[in-house]
Structures are given as C-alpha cells and as structure tokens.
Amino acid sequence: MKLILVAEDNEDTRYTLTCILASKGYEVLEAPDGEKALKEAQAVIPNLIIVDIVMPVMDGLTLIKHLKNIPETKNIPI
C-alpha cells in the first residue's frame, strides 16, 4: 500500500484530503505543521507528500527545502 503524508494546518482540509485518499486505498499520515511533517517524513519515508505552503511553526517552502537536503527524503515526490 502506498503511504501519503498530508502536511496541512487547516483541520477540515486535512480531514477531507485524508478521507479522499483513504477511500482510494492509500495509507495516510497527517501533520498539522511543517515541523511535525518533517519528523514524520524522516520516520516513515512516505511515497508522496502533500504540502500546504502557509503553515505554523515551519511553512511549506521551508519544509520542502529541508526534505530536499536529507538523503532519505530528497527523492520523495511533493
């Protein structure tokens, strides 16, 4: 099963994305901010990451920069 990480601070949007993806057979992890998403991505190495740009703690662009500088996560599609 493919694993998708959803990094989104809006709870309703995150819930909707998670439900849609899960209904299509994907395993979905959620993160409410960029910092938690970075930790999750390093811990589980998802197949895809969906990133909101405007998030608290660490915004999406900063998250992407960090992910692209880590050997284990640099090739994950975002």
Side-chain angles (χ1 to χ4, degrees), residues 65-78:
K65 287 178 187 174
H66 284 294
L67 290 168
K68 294 303 178 184
N69 286 320
I70 300 168
E72 295 82 15
T73 60
K74 71 178 184 179
N75 293 320
I76 298 173
I78 298 174

Side-chain angles (χ1 to χ4, degrees), residues 41-56:
Q42 290 177 290
V44 298
I45 312 296
N47 299 99
L48 174 72
I49 304 173
I50 298 174
V51 178
D52 180 19
I53 297 301
V54 180
M55 293 186 289

Side-chain angles (χ1 to χ4, degrees), residues 3 7 9 16 18 22 28 30 34 48 58 70 72:
L3 177 62
D9 63 316
T16 301
T18 299
V28 183
E30 302 176 39
L48 174 72
M58 180 190 300
I70 300 168
E72 295 82 15

Side-chain angles (χ1 to χ4, degrees), residues 6 10-23 30:
V6 176
N10 182 287
E11 189 174 335
D12 291 335
T13 303
R14 192 173 64 246
Y15 175 78
T16 301
L17 283 169
T18 299
C19 288
I20 291 169
L21 293 167
S23 75
E30 302 176 39

